[in-house]
Amino acid sequence: VLIVLFGPLSGAHFNPAVSLAFALRGELAWSMAVVYIVAQVFGGLVGVWAAHLMFELPIWQFSITERTGPGQWFAEAIATFGPVNVLANNAGILRFAEIEKMTKEEYLFLVNVNQLGTFLGMRAVARTMRKNGGGSIINASSVEGLAGMASLTGYVATKWAIRGMTK
């Protein structure tokens, strides 16, 4: 409904970065891009002020705290693309090494990317999905998460862990 109502005003995408990309690719005239971006920024400010009023917060707030990290990036994604209903986790790197030759650092690198990355993805969306009444999390593992394979001890361990987290 919002896109139908405000589409002609904002370009139907509500994101100044998208308007800029369209203009750079020649899909949107620069004169229209400026109009869209002004409308999109104004709409964003009005939305923030409305949220502050709803929660009885001061309309103007100032902070010297730098905010960054996965939580902030996730919030930006929600603000840009809308609530998350589906997460497809498909992180995976592969390192061949016999167990006696694999270093602790190599093993932990596999764990951090494959296993911890999957966990962090699930954790990032869980609260939003529960709040919105549910959703789907799809964790891609590997056939190695079922059987194992020589020289892939670290990889296999992470893929078994993903199966366990998913169950």
Side-chain angles (χ1 to χ4, degrees):
V1 172
L2 290 175
I3 290 175
V4 172
L5 289 173
F6 297 114
L9 194 68
S10 72
H13 41 71
F14 299 104
N15 189 327
V18 174
S19 296
L20 180 61
F22 282 169
L24 289 170
R25 291 188 336 199
E27 296 177 28
L28 180 64
W30 281 102
S31 59
M32 287 307 301
V34 169
V35 173
Y36 283 179
I37 290 170
V38 168
Q40 291 158 342
V41 169
F42 178 75
L45 289 171
V46 169
V48 168
W49 294 334
H52 284 201
L53 287 172
M54 283 188 279
F55 294 103
E56 298 178 355
L57 297 170
I59 290 182
W60 290 103
Q61 293 183 3
F62 300 96
S63 174
I64 58 170
T65 303
E66 182 177 336
R67 290 175 178 85
T68 188
Q72 180 70 28
W73 304 331
F74 181 67
E76 291 295 332
I78 295 297
T80 301
F81 303 111
V84 175
N85 298 319
V86 177
L87 170 67
N89 265 328
N90 192 25
I93 56 169
L94 179 70
R95 297 288 190 266
F96 287 95
E98 296 173 7
I99 193 165
E100 65 272 12
K101 294 180 181 173
M102 179 174 269
T103 67
K104 176 182 166 185
E105 290 74 24
E106 290 171 319
Y107 181 82
L108 290 175
F109 183 65
L110 290 167
V111 169
N112 282 334
V113 172
N114 298 357
Q115 183 180 341
L116 184 60
T118 300
F119 167 77
L120 292 174
M122 293 185 329
R123 187 179 75 176
V125 301
R127 182 179 298 135
T128 299
M129 285 184 173
R130 283 183 216 262
K131 183 179 177 184
N132 292 331
S136 297
I137 298 176
I138 304 158
N139 292 324
S141 179
S142 168
V143 69
E144 306 313 331
L146 298 171
M149 184 175 180
S151 299
L152 289 178
T153 304
Y155 179 79
V156 168
T158 62
K159 295 306 179 174
W160 277 70
I162 291 169
R163 286 185 59 225
M165 287 190 294
T166 304
K167 300 269 181 203

